[in-house]
């Protein structure tokens, strides 16, 4: 993939995840303020929490994709063995 394709994919993923967090927070706030009760109230509150959590995970994932990874390096011990 070209760098512009990767950049646009990361920008889309970041925007999508941020919108999930906002929608989840709004759904959770609406359910709390409007005092939804019963099964559907619990389902609405649970969906709000789930959207916010999934959005936060994807936001962190997109942030990790932008960072340059350092190669894992194993450095043997320089001291005497036991």
């Amino acid at each position: 993939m070209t760098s512009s394709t990767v950049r646009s994919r990361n920008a889309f993923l970041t925007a999508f995840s941020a919108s999930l967090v906002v929608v989840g927070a709004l759904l959770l706030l609406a359910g709390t303020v409007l005092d939804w009760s019963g099964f559907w109230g619990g389902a609405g509150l649970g969906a709000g929490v789930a959207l916010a959590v999934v959005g936060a995970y994807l936001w962190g994932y997109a942030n990790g994709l932008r960072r340059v990874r350092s190669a894992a390096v194993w450095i043997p011990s320089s001291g005497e063995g036991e």
Side-chain angles (χ1 to χ4, degrees):
M1 275 195 235
T2 64
S3 63
S4 63
T5 305
V6 171
R7 232 179 289 129
S8 65
R9 184 188 62 188
N10 289 345
F12 171 76
L13 189 57
T14 301
F16 178 70
S17 59
S19 65
L20 279 180
V21 170
V22 169
V23 168
L26 289 176
L27 187 60
L28 189 60
L29 184 64
T32 304
V33 170
L34 297 176
D35 195 25
W36 291 344
S37 61
F39 175 79
W40 293 111
L45 292 174
V49 170
L51 284 174
V53 168
V54 169
Y57 173 79
L58 288 176
W59 197 340
Y61 180 73
N63 189 29
L65 288 177
R66 282 195 308 249
R67 297 174 188 246
V68 176
R69 291 187 185 184
S70 60
V73 178
W74 177 73
I75 302 173
S77 174
S78 58
E80 301 246 349
E82 290 184 23

